[in-house]
Every structure is written in C-alpha cells, then in structure tokens.
Amino acid sequence: ASSWARASNPPVHWRYVSEASGVTRVLRSSGAHLSEVDPRTGTTLWSQRLGSSGVLALENSVLLSGSRGRLSLSDVLSGSNYWSRPLSDGRTSGVGMLTPTLAVAALVEDGLVALDRISGRTVWTIRLHSEVNDLYQTPGRIVAIVGSRPDARRIFCLDDRSGAIEWSREAPQLT
C-alpha cells in the first residue's frame, strides 16, 4: 500500500473498481464527509458532506443517509447528486441497499422505504414490526432480516416491485 493509505485519516472504508474502465476508486468516510481519493497519490478528487447516518449502500452509486431523515443518491465517479429528498416516513437506521431500479433504506421505526433509483420517488413502504438488521437481493425479491434479539428474528421475502410480503419465517437460531 502507498504511504498515504497506511497513514490515511480518516481510514479508507471502501474500494470500488469500475467494471467499465478497470479503474480503482477509493472512497473514504469520516463522520462528516465522504470523499474519493486518487489511489496513486492520495489526492482528494471530490468530497461530499454527509449527515449523521452516513453510507447505506455502495455500487456505481452511493446511497447516503443524512440527518433528519434525508436520503440522497450520488454518483461514485463524480460525487454529484442524482437526487436528495426528505423521507416523510422517518429517519433511516443505517441499513440500505441498491438494486438495478431501487434505492431501499431501513427506517428507524421498523420498516422499509423503496425509492426509484432514477427519480427518488417513493415506490413503496412497508412496516415489518421490528428493526431491520440486514437486506439481501435476489432476482425480483428483497430479503429482510428483522428483529432486535437473536432468539426473535424473522426473515421476510418481499416482491421488489410492490413491497408485498411473499413469505415470512422465523429465522433459525445460530448455535
């Protein structure tokens, strides 16, 4: 690693390799900013102020959660905002994901909100009656792990177009 990476403060949290160009993108985050740095020199290429919750998901775009329930989607390559909007459903909990068409964020109050990845318009919301701990994507579906205690967790499988629950099961306990 180059000397700037070893001594980097704040530390590097993500490394992104662009599939189209093969260019390595290095993103780093502090409590207040997300920035991209040149991997050869450590020079900051762009920086964006974050809210209190920070980064929820990262792919070709970065889903950012700000203070007071604001959610935004930005381009990883330039740092420019695609959209930013307040959530009427409440603040995010720090869990999120990006699908090809959606930006999905878990809400502090026990649910999910799915926004159109292009426009930022709300596509669906759903209450799951417990804290969302993790999200996974399968073709056409979103799987949510919910529950604050290991002995009381559930797995929900949602249709990604409508947010409708396709099935729900008690999560197996890990031993």
Side-chain angles (χ1 to χ4, degrees):
S2 59
S3 62
W4 74 265
R6 283 195 304 271
S8 179
N9 188 15
V12 172
H13 287 279
W14 302 278
R15 194 183 91 166
Y16 170 78
V17 179
S18 171
E19 294 178 17
S21 64
V23 174
T24 300
R25 302 283 182 182
V26 178
L27 301 182
R28 65 181 174 193
S29 170
S30 70
H33 288 88
L34 177 70
S35 56
E36 180 186 358
V37 294
D38 183 311
R40 295 177 312 259
T41 65
T43 304
T44 299
L45 301 173
W46 58 261
S47 180
Q48 184 178 100
R49 182 159 174 70
L50 298 177
S52 60
S53 295
V55 176
L56 298 182
L58 176 69
E59 286 180 8
N60 294 337
S61 303
V62 59
L63 182 60
L64 303 168
S65 173
S67 58
R68 296 183 215 64
R70 189 163 220 45
L71 202 61
S72 62
L73 190 69
S74 298
D75 179 46
V76 167
L77 302 180
S78 68
S80 62
N81 250 356
Y82 292 125
W83 48 260
S84 180
R85 62 175 299 234
L87 296 176
S88 60
D89 301 275
R91 295 177 298 124
T92 61
S93 69
V95 176
M97 70 179 303
L98 294 169
T99 75
T101 59
L102 298 173
V104 181
L107 302 171
V108 170
E109 299 299 322
D110 74 4
L112 293 173
V113 60
L115 306 173
D116 182 89
R117 193 161 166 171
I118 304 297
S119 69
R121 174 186 60 81
T122 300
V123 177
W124 51 262
T125 60
I126 187 168
R127 296 282 177 219
L128 298 174
H129 307 294
S130 193
E131 175 185 357
V132 177
N133 298 304
D134 216 344
L135 294 170
Y136 300 94
Q137 178 187 4
T138 64
R141 291 167 182 78
I142 294 171
V143 177
I145 311 297
V146 304
S148 57
R149 295 189 345 250
D151 63 338
R153 290 199 173 160
R154 290 197 68 78
I155 302 170
F156 288 88
C157 180
L158 310 172
D159 178 277
D160 70 353
R161 291 177 309 260
S162 67
I165 297 172
E166 293 187 355
W167 54 262
S168 169
R169 291 189 177 82
E170 189 174 306
Q173 291 187 22
L174 301 176
T175 58

